Amino acid sequence: MFEQRPNRDSEIVLVGRSNVGKSTLMREITGHSVDTGQKPGVTRKPNHFDWAGPDFMVTDLPGFGFMNGVPEDVREQIKTDVVRYVEANADKILVGILVLDGKAAVDIIDRHSGPDEIPHDVELFHFLRDVDVEPVVAVNKMDKVDDEEERLNDICDRLGLYPPWQQWQETIAPISAKRGTVDALDEAVRHHLHEAGRDDLFQFF
């Protein structure tokens, strides 16, 4: 399922847990309808959206983590596939957008933090950096968060970024994909596209 990657030299990927709103964000970025479901784990294979003009695409990778009714070995396989995909294509990936649920992320990270456990989200953030893919954390569903500043500082803290979050605006982007409020993400992505000499892709962000 992961093998049929369109032949594109530049790519932006969306990664994250199931049910954080990746497919909704994908639709917001591309203007293209993507299957979304009420049940987590609907996206099981990469959704590529490639424009006919430039040599570029945006890819929504399957969500990982707990999914109702999905056996653990399948969940682990999805996570492995996502990691392998990013690793194999790292030299073509301009930005890795890690989507978090702003309302639940801190609780989930804290619940899975322990001496022998690194939370998936934190692990993925550092993994992107390790393979030289610029990470942008899209903190979604911020319209449902009461204390935005505190929540974003807490997320920075969990990711090993020194708060306040405002000094990480190329990395932390508070958004509400459902409401179409994604300006902070566009700004962050454009920063990295500019650094990569790809201002030609601004038209998509």
Side-chain angles (χ1 to χ4, degrees):
M1 281 206 260
F2 275 67
E3 273 65 55
Q4 284 134 11
R5 180 186 181 275
N7 186 18
R8 290 283 186 270
D9 277 345
S10 302
E11 180 176 10
I12 285 178
V13 297
L14 274 67
V15 296
R17 287 179 176 277
S18 299
N19 237 17
V20 293
K22 286 197 317 305
S23 299
T24 307
L25 179 57
M26 179 80 164
R27 196 168 53 221
E28 190 58 40
I29 292 170
T30 62
H32 189 70
S33 187
V34 188
D35 285 340
T36 59
Q38 293 305 308
K39 285 180 20 196
V42 168
T43 311
R44 292 286 175 85
K45 60 183 199 306
N47 270 320
H48 302 287
F49 189 77
D50 52 328
W51 284 270
D55 191 5
F56 169 68
M57 67 181 172
V58 177
T59 301
D60 176 20
L61 289 168
F64 53 80
F66 178 74
M67 289 170 253
N68 241 334
V70 179
E72 189 172 351
D73 59 329
V74 176
R75 298 201 302 258
E76 282 305 310
Q77 188 56 52
I78 290 171
K79 190 178 158 214
T80 302
D81 287 345
V82 167
V83 166
R84 283 191 184 142
Y85 181 94
V86 173
E87 226 161 19
N89 300 296
D91 57 334
K92 296 175 179 171
I93 299 174
L94 300 168
V95 180
I97 299 174
L98 170 60
V99 188
L100 300 185
D101 177 337
K103 201 164 165 28
V106 173
D107 289 343
I108 289 171
I109 288 170
D110 288 352
R111 199 180 316 141
H112 292 280
S113 295
D116 303 316
E117 193 177 15
I118 301 171
H120 287 329
D121 304 297
V122 176
E123 191 179 19
L124 206 52
F125 177 74
H126 291 290
F127 165 69
L128 289 169
R129 286 184 149 184
D130 287 347
V131 294
D132 288 329
V133 171
E134 290 293 347
V136 171
V137 182
V139 188
N140 195 18
K141 308 185 185 181
M142 286 306 288
D143 53 307
K144 297 179 178 174
V145 172
D146 295 332
D147 192 339
E148 192 168 315
E149 301 294 308
E150 189 182 337
R151 182 60 48 92
L152 293 168
N153 285 339
D154 285 347
I155 285 170
C156 276
D157 182 55
R158 303 309 190 271
L159 294 174
L161 303 174
Y162 198 70
W165 77 272
Q166 285 90 343
Q167 62 186 339
W168 301 103
Q169 289 185 43
E170 290 91 39
T171 308
I172 302 288
I175 64 166
S176 172
K178 216 169 214 174
R179 295 192 171 189
T181 315
V182 295
D183 289 356
L185 178 64
D186 289 346
E187 293 281 317
V189 169
R190 282 179 170 212
H191 169 83
H192 296 299
L193 291 177
H194 179 68
E195 295 287 300
R198 293 303 305 268
D199 291 15
D200 59 305
L201 299 177
F202 278 17
Q203 57 186 304
F204 303 114
F205 293 92

